[in-house]
Amino acid sequence: MLVTAAWYRKYEHASRVGLWSACVGIANIIGGAIAYGCVAGLEVHPNMQFTSWKILALCTGLISVVYGVCMFFFLADSVVTARWLSNEDRTLAVERLRSNHQGVGSTQYKTYQLREAWLKYRTWTYVLFVLVTQIPSAGLVLLNSILVKSLGFDTKTTLLLSMPGGLVNIMANFGFGLLADRTHKRLLACIIATLVSIFGAALFIGLGNVSPLHARIGQLVGYFLMSGTSSTAWFLIISLMSSNVLGYTKKTSSNAIVFTAQGLAYFVGPLCFTDGPYYHKAKIMTLAMWIGALLLLATMWVLNWQENSRRDSEMTEKGVSEHAASELAFHDLTDKENKGFRYVT
């Protein structure tokens, strides 16, 4: 969230976050293939000292450690500190970000911004949204193999069946992110993505209610749609926070609050999936919470639209030019102080 806001204009945030989050789908595809290979290898060599899940953890974990070290040395904090940019390119990059009204490179800690992050009602709409969307998603992600296996597939087939969901994830995260930036309607893209999740959940639940194994291919399609898009709206909300939360201290504080809520959601989520092996109650809970998420998204849109309209009216009454307002862009101001700023809707 912080890196995206520091490098890209606000109507590039959704497509960039969509690209980053689409890598989750790539991980599902590659991870499914690796997991299948580990299980198959263990069958051929049953006397191995390492179990298949330990081999998977070592392969992916060691790559992550190496990549993390590279990020530490080579990822620049912002365009201001990028060593590989010339002075001219750095100046152009800074000017390019002026319309964000977010400032560039300031890391000064400001207590009043911390207080504003905790007291701002928008922070708590984000928190509530992450809870109602990610509690079900946590159960779907962490119990993925169990849910698919409950449709009557063996272990190795179940691992391979994580791959189509990864493809749906890639298409949804990047596609809806691109749609949001092209149309400048980010919350509308969130609403459409959530509707796809609800459709997938309704298909999965409806067919499963006939009988646990009824039309299991149809149930799989519903499950792929549901699981593949379950976090798409959340990733778009992350990009919305990148665009709509101003001030370095306020942005980092809001980030900490919201991602703590996500950790809570991932703790609670699996605890809601206790009525195995078919999880009828958990599925209904998922559907109900995602419908609640739709109402929250509509509320966010109304609040942002009303605030933008109010600021437009104030600027018109005071005769403040757009150029004068844009000069505020390099000050570390919050959205409350920066009258030239408009919320992305």
Side-chain angles (χ1 to χ4, degrees), residues 11-27:
Y11 287 117
E12 297 170 340
H13 290 174
S15 57
R16 269 49 177 195
V17 170
L19 184 60
W20 318 149
S21 59
C23 293
V24 174
I26 296 174

Side-chain angles (χ1 to χ4, degrees), residues 57-221:
L58 283 172
C59 289
T60 55
L62 290 173
I63 293 171
S64 297
V65 170
V66 172
Y67 188 76
V69 172
C70 292
M71 292 282 280
F72 178 80
F73 286 105
F74 296 113
L75 179 65
D77 294 334
S78 69
V79 294
V80 176
T81 60
R83 292 173 293 179
W84 42 270
L85 287 177
S86 66
N87 289 333
E88 181 182 359
D89 288 341
R90 192 175 290 114
T91 300
L92 290 172
V94 169
E95 285 298 320
R96 184 176 177 273
L97 298 175
R98 182 180 290 274
S99 62
N100 284 3
H101 291 262
Q102 296 200 16
V104 179
S106 173
T107 56
Q108 181 182 358
Y109 183 84
K110 297 181 179 180
T111 304
Y112 79 94
Q113 288 189 14
L114 171 64
R115 184 166 56 251
E116 188 174 330
W118 277 97
L119 298 178
K120 192 78 170 180
Y121 66 83
R122 279 186 175 83
T123 303
W124 298 105
T125 60
Y126 296 140
V127 167
L128 188 56
F129 181 82
V130 70
L131 290 176
V132 298
T133 57
Q134 295 309 289
I135 285 177
S137 296
L140 293 174
V141 170
L142 297 177
L143 300 176
N144 170 62
S145 297
I146 296 175
L147 288 169
V148 174
K149 199 170 184 177
S150 70
L151 295 176
F153 297 100
D154 59 42
T155 299
K156 289 199 294 185
T157 303
T158 297
L159 292 173
L160 291 178
L161 285 174
S162 66
M163 300 169 77
L167 180 60
V168 174
N169 182 275
I170 294 169
M171 296 170 63
N173 288 0
F174 182 67
F176 281 111
L178 195 61
L179 174 68
D181 278 347
R182 291 288 176 85
T183 62
H184 292 192
K185 303 292 184 183
R186 204 168 302 177
L187 285 168
L188 177 61
C190 286
I191 288 171
I192 297 172
T194 303
L195 285 171
V196 174
S197 300
I198 290 173
F199 171 76
L203 182 62
F204 186 45
I205 294 168
L207 293 175
N209 281 345
V210 176
S211 69
L213 299 181
H214 175 74
R216 66 175 186 167
I217 300 303
Q219 288 192 58
L220 267 181
V221 171

